[in-house]
């Protein structure tokens, strides 16, 4: 009996202990929310989601939003949450309609008993549920079941709403086609970041991607091109219209309907872009009568510039075609906006086309720019008659803006300023901050990209409105959009790499209050969010972890000072010299490194003994010409002067990014460089560093010659190198070695470097040099 009493007492105490058990509490740094909410209060404790937790849905129209959580729990936890229309006081996630809240806003209160999410629209509930998703452990993103984990949501009170109504991302599927599955996956990720607009770039010179039933050749012919994927985008040759075209793809109308419906469930509007009057060679290849000449052309496989094969603005048949195409497009896309491009139209053919010239005369237009304005205004009238709003790139300002058009300002902020001053709505999408086809790190570590630079911090510096705008102008700025053009983006994995984490930075800027934005705080949260991206299976870039070396040379002492940093502040950088192995035990970088002999430096950011990003591996090579006087027969181009007259003998070498400030450039002349060694020396080798990136017109030299002299007057040729032109698909650095018989008592070395005579396209070739080593 005594044993039974003891056992009962033990059970009772255990039961009391369980009843008093509290869910874990969280610290503020545990909350990794991007974008950052408008207001957030963290309380003690947390709510645990279990298989008996219910989601309370007040209306049938909101039932589908439960999938935002249930799709995750089904995979990661092995259960789904039951949905119910009846409120329960405990163990529930309750959605409540609150008519006092703005359309896209939400309020979230989490206690240990339940979760209450209030909103006034489906959009608000979507955003609130995405916040709950981010508050859950990152393992909720797992594609397979995770055991031995508690699905806790910290007890918080959040009141949240976006700063801007337009928060978008554009994917170019013309230059490279991406399948329906990837587009839907991308839409999920837009919703995750509370972006609300997917700009679908469906038409361009290199591919027509949307089925139009009245004009089947648009996809049969315009949807495919000759496969030249093994060549650099801007080095691809012109295709024969009769050549077999196998590379491409398109979306059927059923595909489009499925994508649009899927996006609507996620709170994402889809804006189609049907380019005109330029970027339409794919359409002209299908129907040559759409151009001014009517001559057959092929869908191009690569870059085209200038773009002269454009729609004829003089023929009525052109407008009949476009209205019929847009009619089918509008049936597929129910939203307010239709994007019609309007950019980069070279009007050469319009100036000689009898039909276009007749149109200019009949309409009383001044010139071809006003003809483009006529073109756009006519299309806008058709769209307005169908209750749609035209969006165009900022070139539609030229010649006069259509009356109700919305402008996407991409060539900087100026077009947006001008359009807003004229009373038009504006979406800011400047190349300087929001073009994600640009490099985000050093090209030495990055996949091929458009040769410009937009690192993560630059994206986070974006602000849609300008201080110089009036109050009225600022009201017309709807928000911002990041663009990923796909000339250099051939795969889904590459697309993800260019988008993430930069898209998260842009998402926070257009959602969160400006006074809350701060790079240092964001850089902490995005590093933790990357861990979630990892579980989500996103091929995100780690470029912001890359070491960014800064170096300077004292030309008198020949000593180099090297500073190491990463884009992220407050990181642990470790480095190793020469043949030392770089490990978690290597020296911690605390102050600048000084070297005065040949030195290799390896460095990387570490966290928890793990390398977080690319490893810098850089060699500083000293030689006999370091810091010596240099004279030039032909001056280098002022735009590519590097650090001036000693740039070629300062040990500091350029990267694959030709605008990094290290390269000297010539065009139209050879580089003939004379180095005064200032004393007589023995020499037997000269090494010339050169950059090639054929897509931007930079080519390796055609021939190199070395001459030496004792007095600076009489020179003797000692080495000559001639090289044949070779096709090169990407950026490449090469050191051209010219070895020769040992020369005694030499003070002057003259190096003559001849550029390629003409590029394959017949233009002039740039010659880019950095570091001439004398050994």
């Amino acid at each position: 009996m005594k044993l039974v009493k003891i056992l009962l007492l033990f059970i009772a105490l255990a039961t009391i202990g369980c009843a008093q058990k509290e869910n874990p509490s969280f610290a503020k740094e545990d909350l990794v929310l991007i974008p950052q909410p408008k207001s957030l209060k963290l309380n003690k404790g947390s709510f645990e989601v279990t298989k008996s937790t219910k989601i309370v849905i007040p209306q049938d129209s909101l039932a589908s939003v439960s999938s935002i959580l249930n799709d995750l729990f089904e995979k990661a936890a092995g259960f789904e949450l039951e949905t119910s229309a009846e409120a329960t006081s405990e163990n529930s996630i309750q959605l409540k309609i609150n008519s006092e809240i703005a359309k896209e806003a939400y309020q979230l209160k989490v206690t240990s008993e339940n979760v209450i999410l209030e909103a006034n629209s489906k959009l608000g509930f979507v955003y609130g549920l995405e916040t709950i998703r981010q508050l859950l452990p990152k393992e909720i993103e797992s594609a397979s079941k995770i055991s031995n984990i508690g699905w806790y949501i910290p007890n918080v009170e959040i009141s949240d709403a976006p700063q801007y109504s337009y928060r978008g991302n554009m994917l170019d599927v013309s230059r490279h086609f991406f399948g329906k599955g990837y587009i839907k996956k991308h839409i999920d990720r837009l919703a995750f970041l509370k972006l609300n607009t997917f700009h679908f770039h469906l038409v361009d010179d290199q591919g027509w991607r949307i089925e139009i039933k009245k004009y089947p050749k648009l996809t049969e012919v315009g949807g495919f091109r000759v496969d030249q994927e093994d060549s650099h985008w801007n080095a691809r040759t012109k295709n024969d219209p009769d050549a077999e075209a196998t590379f491409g793809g398109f979306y059927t109308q059923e595909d489009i309907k499925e994508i649009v419906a899927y996006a609507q469930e996620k709170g994402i509007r889809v804006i189609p872009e049907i380019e005109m009057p330029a970027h339409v060679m794919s359409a002209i290849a299908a129907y040559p009568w759409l151009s001014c000449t009517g001559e057959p052309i092929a869908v191009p496989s690569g870059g085209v510039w200038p773009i002269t094969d454009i729609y004829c603005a003089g023929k009525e048949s052109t407008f009949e075609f476009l209205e019929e195409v847009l009619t089918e497009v509008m049936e597929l896309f129910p939203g307010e906006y239709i994007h019609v491009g309007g950019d980069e139209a070279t009007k050469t053919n319009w100036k000689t086309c009898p039909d276009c010239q007749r149109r200019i005369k009949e309409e009383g237009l001044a010139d071809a720019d006003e003809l483009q304005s006529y073109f756009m205004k006519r299309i806008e009238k058709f769209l307005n008659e169908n209750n749609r709003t035209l969006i165009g790139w900022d070139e539609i300002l030229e010649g006069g803006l259509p009356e109700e058009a919305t402008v996407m300002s991409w060539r900087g902020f100026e077009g947006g300023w001008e359009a807003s001053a004229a009373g038009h709505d504006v979406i800011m999408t400047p190349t300087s901050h929001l073009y994600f086809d640009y490099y985000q790190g050093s090209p030495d570590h990055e996949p091929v990209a458009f040769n410009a630079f937009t690192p993560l911090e630059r994206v986070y510096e974006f602000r849609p409105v300008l201080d110089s705008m009036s109050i009225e102008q600022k009201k017309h700025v709807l928000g911002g959009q990041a663009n990923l053009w796909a000339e250099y983006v051939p795969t889904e994995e590459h697309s993800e790499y260019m988008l993430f984490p930069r898209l998260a930075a842009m998402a926070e800027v257009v959602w969160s209050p400006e006074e809350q934005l701060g790079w240092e705080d964001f850089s902490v949260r995005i590093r933790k969010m990357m861990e979630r991206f990892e579980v989500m299976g996103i091929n995100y870039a780690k470029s912001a972890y890359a070491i960014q070396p800064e170096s300077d040379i004292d030309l008198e002492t020949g000593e180099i000072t090297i500073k190491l940093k990463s884009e992220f502040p407050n990181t642990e950088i470790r480095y190793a010299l020469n043949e030392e192995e770089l490990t978690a035990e290597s020296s911690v970088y605390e102050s600048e490194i000084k070297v005065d002999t040949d030195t290799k430096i390896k460095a990387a950011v570490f966290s928890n003994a793990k390398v977080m990003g690319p490893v810098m591996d850089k060699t500083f090579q000293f030689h006999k010409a370091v810091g010596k006087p240099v004279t030039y027969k032909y001056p280098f181009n002022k735009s590519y002067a590097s650090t001036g007259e000693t740039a070629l003998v300062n040990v500091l070498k350029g990267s694959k990014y030709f605008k990094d400030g290290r390269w000297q450039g010539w065009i139209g002349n050879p580089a003939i460089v004379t180095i005064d060694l200032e004393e007589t020396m023995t020499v037997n080798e000269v090494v010339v560093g050169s950059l090639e990136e054929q897509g931007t017109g930079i080519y390796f030299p055609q021939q190199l010659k070395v001459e030496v002299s004792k007095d600076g007057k009489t020179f003797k040729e000692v080495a000559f190198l001639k090289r044949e032109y070779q096709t090169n698909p990407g950026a490449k650095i090469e050191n051209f070695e010219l070895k020769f018989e040992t020369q005694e008592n030499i003070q002057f070395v003259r190096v003559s470097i001849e550029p390629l005579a003409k590029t394959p396209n017949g233009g002039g070739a740039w010659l880019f040099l950095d570091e001439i080593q004398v050994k």
Side-chain angles (χ1 to χ4, degrees):
M1 180 64 72
K2 190 174 181 180
L3 184 61
V4 172
K5 286 181 179 181
I6 292 172
L7 186 58
L8 290 172
L9 178 62
F10 178 82
I11 294 171
L13 289 171
T15 304
I16 292 170
C18 290
Q20 292 177 342
K21 179 189 174 185
E22 292 185 1
N23 291 342
S25 292
F26 292 82
K28 193 169 183 179
E29 54 267 26
D30 296 323
L31 307 186
V32 184
L33 296 176
I34 296 177
Q36 190 168 214
K38 195 171 184 178
S39 72
L40 181 152
K41 180 183 177 184
L42 175 62
N43 297 318
K44 184 181 178 182
S46 56
F47 174 82
E48 184 179 13
V49 180
T50 67
K51 58 185 177 182
S52 59
T53 302
K54 291 185 178 181
I55 301 180
V56 180
I57 308 286
Q59 294 179 350
D60 290 343
S61 61
L62 295 173
S64 60
V65 299
S66 66
S67 65
I68 293 172
L69 295 181
N70 264 335
D71 288 352
L72 298 168
F73 276 107
E74 182 182 7
K75 294 175 183 175
F79 60 79
E80 286 192 52
L81 306 180
E82 181 185 344
T83 58
S84 171
E86 297 181 7
T88 59
S89 59
E90 293 184 356
N91 200 18
S92 62
I93 299 172
Q94 300 179 33
L95 276 57
K96 292 185 176 182
I97 296 173
N98 184 338
S99 59
E100 302 297 316
I101 296 178
K103 182 182 177 183
E104 288 192 288
Y106 68 92
Q107 291 180 359
L108 175 65
K109 184 173 183 179
V110 181
T111 68
S112 299
E113 289 73 39
N114 56 36
V115 176
I116 297 176
L117 174 61
E118 297 183 55
N120 189 24
S121 69
K122 189 173 184 177
L123 281 174
F125 287 117
V126 167
Y127 300 144
L129 288 166
E130 292 291 354
T131 295
I132 292 172
R133 173 183 182 176
Q134 291 192 15
L135 288 168
L136 283 159
K138 64 181 182 292
E139 288 80 9
I140 195 65
E141 311 291 346
S142 174
S144 57
K145 187 177 178 180
I146 304 292
S147 301
N148 303 319
I149 188 170
W151 303 109
Y152 292 104
I153 304 171
N155 286 349
V156 293
E157 295 176 45
I158 291 175
S159 180
D160 204 5
Q163 282 292 98
Y164 293 95
S165 63
Y166 189 105
R167 307 179 303 281
N169 173 232
M170 190 267 326
L171 281 191
D172 168 13
V173 295
S174 173
R175 275 52 176 268
H176 284 95
F177 178 72
F178 300 113
K180 178 177 64 178
Y182 177 68
I183 299 302
K184 291 169 74 173
K185 184 163 59 174
H186 182 63
I187 286 168
D188 284 336
R189 293 164 181 174
L190 296 183
F192 176 81
L193 294 170
K194 299 183 176 66
L195 296 172
N196 67 353
T197 304
F198 174 49
H199 175 173
F200 210 2
H201 187 79
L202 291 160
V203 172
D204 217 299
D205 292 311
Q206 294 81 9
W208 185 288
R209 304 301 183 201
I210 177 172
E211 177 190 24
I212 303 297
K213 293 187 181 295
K214 185 153 189 176
Y215 295 98
K217 286 185 180 180
L218 287 173
T219 47
E220 291 171 5
V221 174
F224 297 88
R225 62 185 187 239
V226 174
D227 189 343
Q228 294 192 44
E229 292 300 296
D230 58 345
S231 298
H232 188 281
W233 180 261
N234 289 322
R236 297 177 185 180
T237 56
K238 187 175 181 179
N239 294 325
D240 186 320
D242 295 325
E244 183 181 13
T246 59
F247 189 86
F250 63 91
Y251 307 99
T252 67
Q253 293 201 357
E254 290 305 309
D255 290 335
I256 295 291
K257 290 175 184 176
E258 185 179 337
I259 289 168
V260 170
Y262 187 83
Q264 285 177 331
E265 289 300 317
K266 302 291 183 179
I268 307 290
R269 61 181 164 190
V270 185
I271 298 177
E273 183 177 359
I274 309 298
E275 280 268 18
M276 60 186 79
H279 288 286
V280 293
M281 291 176 69
S282 55
I284 293 172
Y287 298 100
W289 51 265
L290 289 167
S291 72
C292 290
T293 66
E295 296 176 358
I297 64 170
V299 178
S301 295
V304 178
W305 193 260
I307 303 171
T308 55
D309 286 308
I310 65 178
Y311 287 141
C312 178
K315 298 174 186 173
E316 278 302 301
S317 56
T318 300
F319 292 97
E320 291 170 6
F321 164 83
L322 289 172
E323 289 181 5
E324 288 165 343
V325 167
L326 289 171
T327 296
E328 291 195 34
V329 168
M330 288 186 290
E331 290 171 357
L332 297 169
F333 295 90
E336 172 188 358
Y337 293 112
I338 302 291
H339 201 302
V340 296
D343 63 313
E344 299 182 330
T346 302
K347 305 171 185 72
T348 304
N349 292 340
W350 284 7
K351 294 174 182 177
T352 58
C353 170
D355 294 306
C356 291
Q357 291 302 305
R358 184 180 65 253
R359 177 84 71 188
I360 290 172
K361 185 176 181 180
E362 290 174 352
E363 297 293 334
L365 307 174
D367 51 24
D369 283 340
E370 283 199 12
L371 180 58
Q372 177 162 347
S373 179
Y374 164 85
F375 190 114
M376 288 301 173
K377 287 176 179 177
R378 184 163 171 177
I379 294 297
E380 183 195 41
K381 181 181 177 183
F382 174 73
L383 292 174
N384 290 349
E385 289 170 353
N386 287 274
N387 299 313
R388 303 304 173 89
T389 298
L390 178 148
I391 299 182
W393 302 109
D394 54 44
E395 282 96 333
I396 65 173
L397 288 159
E398 297 168 4
L401 193 59
E403 190 173 339
E404 297 179 23
T406 296
V407 173
M408 275 192 173
S409 187
W410 72 278
R411 295 178 297 179
F413 293 88
E414 294 80 8
W417 197 100
E418 183 181 340
S420 63
H424 289 264
D425 285 344
V426 171
I427 298 153
M428 291 294 194
T429 176
T431 57
S432 57
H433 294 78
L434 297 181
Y435 266 45
F436 287 2
D437 52 322
Y438 292 4
Y439 283 106
Q440 55 196 309
S442 169
D444 294 345
H445 303 292
E446 297 288 312
V448 175
F450 185 88
N451 217 328
F453 191 51
T454 306
L456 182 63
E457 186 175 7
R458 175 79 58 80
V459 177
Y460 199 76
E461 290 170 352
F462 168 68
R463 302 293 182 269
V465 299
L466 304 174
D467 291 340
S468 60
M469 287 179 167
S470 67
I471 293 173
E472 284 304 309
Q473 281 179 281
K474 291 177 180 178
K475 290 178 182 177
H476 283 290
V477 179
L478 303 181
Q481 175 174 290
N483 298 326
L484 180 56
W485 302 101
E487 289 94 332
Y488 304 102
V489 184
T491 66
E492 295 175 4
E493 292 76 19
H494 194 161
S495 176
E496 292 176 351
Y497 185 91
M498 303 306 283
L499 288 164
F500 294 92
R502 290 187 288 189
L503 195 59
M506 183 266 180
E508 177 152 302
V509 168
V510 293
W511 178 279
S512 303
E514 185 169 345
E515 62 271 14
Q516 290 183 201
L517 301 177
W519 167 246
E520 191 159 331
D521 176 66
F522 175 78
S523 70
V524 173
R525 284 181 289 117
I526 192 62
R527 277 178 270 180
K528 293 181 179 179
M529 183 60 77
M530 287 176 175
E531 298 174 9
R532 187 175 290 259
F533 290 163
E534 196 97 33
V535 185
M536 293 170 77
I538 296 175
N539 182 40
Y540 67 93
K542 298 179 181 178
S543 313
Y545 281 114
I547 300 299
Q548 301 171 354
E550 293 180 357
S551 48
D552 195 14
I553 185 169
D554 185 327
L555 295 175
E556 292 185 5
T557 65
E559 186 178 64
I560 292 178
T561 301
I562 302 154
K563 297 179 181 178
L564 304 179
K565 66 174 185 175
S566 74
E567 192 176 351
F568 287 138
N570 305 316
T571 52
E572 176 192 313
I573 298 174
R574 293 182 179 269
Y575 70 96
L577 302 179
N578 299 318
E579 300 309 313
E580 295 175 358
E581 186 180 354
L582 180 64
T583 71
E585 304 301 317
S586 296
S587 299
V588 175
Y589 173 78
E590 295 175 334
S591 61
E592 57 195 28
I593 304 166
K594 294 181 182 293
V595 296
D596 58 8
T597 59
D598 286 4
T599 306
K600 176 188 283 191
I601 300 179
K602 297 184 287 290
V605 172
F606 280 77
S607 180
N608 297 320
K610 177 183 176 184
V611 174
M612 300 305 294
V615 174
M616 184 197 88
D617 189 341
K618 197 172 183 68
T619 300
F620 298 86
Q621 291 181 312
F622 289 75
H623 53 89
K624 295 182 177 183
V626 172
K628 302 301 183 181
V630 178
T631 56
Y632 299 83
K633 182 173 183 179
Y634 301 106
F636 42 78
N637 189 281
K638 291 181 180 179
S639 297
Y640 301 102
S642 186
T643 55
E645 292 186 355
T646 57
L648 297 182
V649 289
N650 67 0
V651 183
L652 314 176
K653 294 184 179 181
S655 70
K656 291 181 182 177
Y657 179 43
F658 74 92
K659 292 182 180 179
D660 68 2
R662 294 292 189 196
W663 294 100
Q664 283 191 338
W666 285 258
I667 188 166
N669 287 309
I672 301 179
V673 179
T674 302
I675 303 169
D676 181 356
L677 300 176
E678 297 186 310
E679 58 182 295
T680 57
M681 298 184 183
T682 300
V683 296
N684 59 15
E685 183 180 8
V686 170
V687 181
V688 178
S690 182
L691 171 71
E692 181 167 75
E693 186 171 357
Q694 297 179 0
T696 51
I698 303 169
Y699 290 80
F700 282 144
Q702 192 169 31
Q703 61 186 40
L704 303 95
K705 180 174 67 173
V706 176
E707 299 169 284
V708 296
S709 171
K710 298 179 180 180
D711 58 8
K713 297 176 182 178
T714 304
F715 282 83
K716 178 177 71 170
E717 182 178 327
V718 292
F720 180 81
L721 174 64
K722 185 176 178 64
R723 64 176 300 277
E724 297 298 324
Y725 164 78
Q726 298 174 14
T727 301
N728 178 17
K732 184 179 181 182
I733 295 172
E734 189 161 319
N735 290 315
F736 294 95
E737 299 178 353
L738 292 97
K739 296 182 179 181
F740 45 88
E741 187 177 330
T742 299
Q743 304 292 309
E744 305 280 354
N745 300 317
I746 299 301
Q747 183 175 339
F748 298 90
V749 177
R750 184 163 68 198
V751 186
S752 301
I753 305 144
E754 294 281 347
L756 187 70
K758 282 187 178 180
T759 70
N761 296 327
W766 279 94
L767 177 66
F768 268 55
L769 305 177
D770 188 20
E771 204 62 21
I772 296 178
Q773 302 176 53
V774 178
K775 301 181 178 182

